[in-house]
Amino acid sequence: MQLPDRLRLPFSFDPAGLARDLAVAEAGGWRHHFVRQNYEGDWSVIALRASAAATHPSQMINADPRATTFRDLPVLADCAHFRAAIAAVQAPLRAVRLMRLTPGSVIKEHTDPDLGFEDGAVRIHVPIVTNRHVDFRLNGARVTMEAGSAWYLRLSDPHTVRNDGDTDRVHLVIDAVVNEWMTEMFATSQQEAA
């Protein structure tokens, strides 16, 4: 099956509930994204699910493609809305993180190898906090994502993000392995979008 580079998924989550969970998770603090050459400003992460082998917080925020076993982190127990959004993805889960881009910050154009449906691994974005001045570009075309929506983005393609607004942009980012359920769900979403 060939998919477009972006696809809105048939899920909708309560933005207020997600924001309440965000406030709980933020109490543990943000960690700067470790690939510093890919951004200017403040791009930071809170791990919710990480490689079972990760012991240091810096390792936990990494979506290590070589990892094969994962575990939920304690913060997730206090975040019912995050757990519900994650549970909607009925596929083998890998890393799950919160990713924040503060006002005036830029994620430079880059690619994430092997993060495409065709590669067998996907990244699903659920915006929690956003603003109309966030400019997310995939293959040069803007993708506008509302709080509480869910999106598949083929991030093995070139993408960049700018936050030209005056509020943070925070997404719940779910990495998963393609399975039969996901294949069927993506096919249905693609038909409905046509």
Side-chain angles (χ1 to χ4, degrees), residues 81-125:
H81 293 274
F82 290 168
R83 290 195 317 271
I86 294 164
V89 179
Q90 298 173 33
L93 298 175
R94 296 181 57 78
V96 178
R97 302 171 291 169
L98 299 172
M99 301 188 85
R100 176 183 72 174
L101 191 65
T102 62
S105 298
V106 176
I107 301 172
K108 299 174 186 177
E109 186 172 82
H110 68 286
T111 60
D112 295 305
D114 303 322
L115 267 181
F117 178 88
E118 299 79 5
D119 302 309
V122 299
R123 179 163 290 165
I124 296 171
H125 278 249

Side-chain angles (χ1 to χ4, degrees), residues 29-44:
W30 292 92
R31 297 194 69 82
H32 289 290
H33 196 287
F34 52 91
V35 187
R36 297 201 183 244
Q37 70 268 20
N38 279 2
Y39 66 96
E40 295 173 1
D42 183 356
W43 185 24
S44 45

